Amino acid sequence: MDIRQTIRQKRRELSQAQRDNAQAIIYQKIKKHPAVSQAQHIAIFLSFDGEVDTKPIIEYLWQQNKSVYLPVPVAEHKLIFLNYTPNTPLVKNSFGILEPVIDKTKIINIEQLDIIFTPLVAFDDRGFRIGMGGGYYDRLLENYQQQQIYPIGLAFACQKVDHVDNQHWDVKLPEIIYA
Ligand SMILES: Nc1ncnc2c1ncn2[C@@H]1O[C@H](COP(=O)(O)OP(=O)(O)O)[C@@H](O)[C@H]1O
Ligand SMILES: [Mg+2]
């Protein structure tokens, strides 16, 4: 079985107690994070396939009056981001992930995002990640430094591997919050 499938399975097999413990630590780290405190426009994702549950993070960000955005995949493996509020209608996309119904008035320019919480399947100490295989976040984050966007990966410790066999297009994350 390839690394992507192996890690996805491990992640799905975490018990509820393991998830709760790890997520409590992750949520605390986010609440104390200076870049999160300073940010206004924050992109995140809705969890699926056993990913770290982002719903409590989103609730926290709303409480803090942050503007929250969710990705919607469009043509050519690109992502656009739409403002997400408690009233935003959601639909299941072809991956089975909930996403906002497209409303052009809710789209934010990528350069305006301060933080992009980034999903991942596996990661290593250097910050290299393996995603779901579409290269969406590699394309999205290609110029993140010039755009003054700060990407933060979110993961469980069981998703850490010794070495990601990275390719030239793979973007190294400056930070991954995991527990
Ligand atoms: N910045 C980019 N520009 C063009 N194609 C890209 C870019 N980043 C990734 N890709 C393409 O996307 C595909 C999937 O990338 P990969 O890194 O394997 O997936 P993932 O990061 O989702 O695990 C690759 O075939 C790669 O050529
Ligand atoms: Mg990649």
Side-chain angles (χ1 to χ4, degrees):
M1 210 160 43
D2 82 338
I3 184 86
R4 204 175 256 127
Q5 291 307 323
T6 308
I7 301 284
R8 285 180 63 182
Q9 188 174 340
K10 269 200 200 177
R11 186 173 64 180
R12 284 194 299 265
E13 287 172 357
L14 288 172
S15 69
Q16 194 56 52
Q18 287 171 318
R19 285 175 191 283
D20 291 343
N21 289 335
Q23 286 170 173
I25 296 167
I26 292 168
Y27 301 153
Q28 282 314 311
K29 287 185 184 179
I30 290 173
K31 289 178 183 174
K32 289 190 296 194
H33 200 297
V36 175
S37 312
Q38 284 162 32
Q40 184 49 241
H41 300 287
I42 301 181
I44 191 161
F45 55 92
L46 294 178
S47 317
F48 95 124
D49 194 40
E51 285 171 336
V52 171
D53 183 9
T54 55
K55 209 67 223 264
I57 304 172
I58 293 170
E59 298 283 349
Y60 168 76
L61 296 173
W62 281 339
Q63 264 176 33
Q64 300 295 305
N65 293 313
K66 307 296 187 189
S67 302
V68 176
Y69 302 85
L70 291 177
V72 178
V74 292
E76 293 160 348
H77 290 225
K78 273 179 56 179
L79 293 173
I80 57 170
F81 284 83
L82 271 72
N83 186 230
Y84 178 47
T85 72
N87 303 317
T88 303
L90 300 173
V91 280
K92 249 186 200 174
N93 66 23
S94 55
F95 300 101
I97 308 173
L98 285 171
E99 64 180 38
V101 174
I102 294 209
D103 172 347
K104 285 184 179 158
T105 67
K106 302 283 170 62
I107 299 175
I108 185 170
N109 287 328
I110 302 303
E111 314 86 70
Q112 286 174 266
L113 290 169
D114 300 310
I115 290 181
I116 299 180
F117 282 109
T118 304
L120 58 91
V121 172
F123 68 101
D124 69 16
D125 264 335
R126 301 172 301 160
F128 278 109
R129 63 183 278 285
I130 296 173
M132 290 294 284
Y136 285 90
Y137 280 84
D138 289 320
R139 287 181 184 78
L140 173 71
L141 299 175
E142 204 171 2
N143 298 308
Y144 82 84
Q145 283 143 327
Q146 294 91 306
Q147 298 174 127
Q148 294 177 7
I149 295 166
Y150 189 64
I152 303 177
L154 288 179
F156 290 110
C158 71
Q159 294 171 247
K160 188 159 179 284
V161 296
D162 285 342
H163 188 84
V164 168
D165 186 12
N166 56 291
Q167 305 295 318
H168 63 86
W169 60 78
D170 283 317
V171 172
K172 189 167 86 160
L173 298 176
E175 180 171 353
I176 297 168
I177 296 179
Y178 69 97

